[in-house]
Amino acid sequence: MKVLVLNGPNLDRLDIRDSSIYGDMSYSQLVSHIENGAKQNGFVADVRQSADEATLVGWLHEAADTNTPVIFNPAAFTHYSYALRDAAELVKAPLIEVHLSNPLSREEFRHTSVISGVANGTIGGFGPNSYILALIALKALIGK
Ligand code: DQA
């Protein structure tokens, strides 16, 4: 089964972001990590990244129209994008919010997620393994 793994702004620049927060995997290494984890859990991951809110909205519409499960790291959009929240709400297959870091242990503006209320659950703070834990949760939700 296919899973759409959607990543928001600046996640493509993990190589130059603060490694004490985001770890030392580059974005391309993260993509391979997710693809391998997906395979091990019986999924094929279609991993995408965009800094453009409209593009992310379009990909969520695609997931809604094709009933495809989603693992979603909205990055900074997590904290304020009502457009992404409304689009995520349209996805009827499971949608899991993930974060590399634990936003709740960081600055106060990161303590709010406008996405969590329309996600099946949220996993954060485990670095690249947040995505693997989300795949395991997804597998259980889908009942494979
Ligand atoms: C993030 C956390 C967000 O607060 C931040 O804006 C990001 C990445 C994470 O994966 O830890 O860009 O979503």
Side-chain angles (χ1 to χ4, degrees):
M1 173 177 272
K2 177 172 153 170
V3 55
L4 259 184
V5 182
L6 304 181
N7 293 297
N10 301 309
L11 290 168
D12 56 330
R13 299 313 311 271
L14 288 176
D15 55 335
I16 57 166
R17 291 188 84 176
D18 186 341
S19 61
S20 69
I21 295 172
Y22 295 112
D24 41 27
M25 252 190 210
S26 66
Y27 181 70
S28 64
Q29 288 170 328
L30 177 66
V31 171
S32 303
H33 184 72
I34 296 166
E35 287 171 347
N36 290 335
K39 212 177 285 174
Q40 277 166 25
N41 286 285
F43 294 103
V44 175
D46 182 347
V47 188
R48 305 180 190 176
Q49 187 278 331
S50 179
D52 178 33
E53 194 177 23
T55 300
L56 291 162
V57 167
W59 288 341
L60 289 166
H61 289 176
E62 181 186 326
D65 293 342
T66 57
N67 204 33
T68 303
V70 177
I71 292 174
F72 191 22
N73 185 346
F77 285 139
T78 305
H79 313 301
Y80 65 91
S81 175
Y82 300 126
L84 288 180
R85 180 197 164 97
D86 287 350
E89 195 173 17
L90 301 175
V91 177
K92 297 305 172 209
L95 181 147
I96 300 177
E97 176 186 352
V98 300
H99 300 283
L100 292 163
S101 67
N102 175 5
L104 295 175
S105 69
R106 299 180 62 195
E107 305 95 317
E108 200 159 340
F109 76 89
R110 297 185 202 275
H111 297 183
T112 298
S113 168
V114 301
I115 306 297
S116 295
V118 294
N120 289 71
T122 301
I123 299 169
F126 300 99
N129 285 334
S130 292
Y131 292 82
I132 307 304
L133 293 168
L135 285 159
I136 292 167
L138 193 58
K139 187 173 163 182
L141 278 174
I142 291 172
K144 294 175 79 177

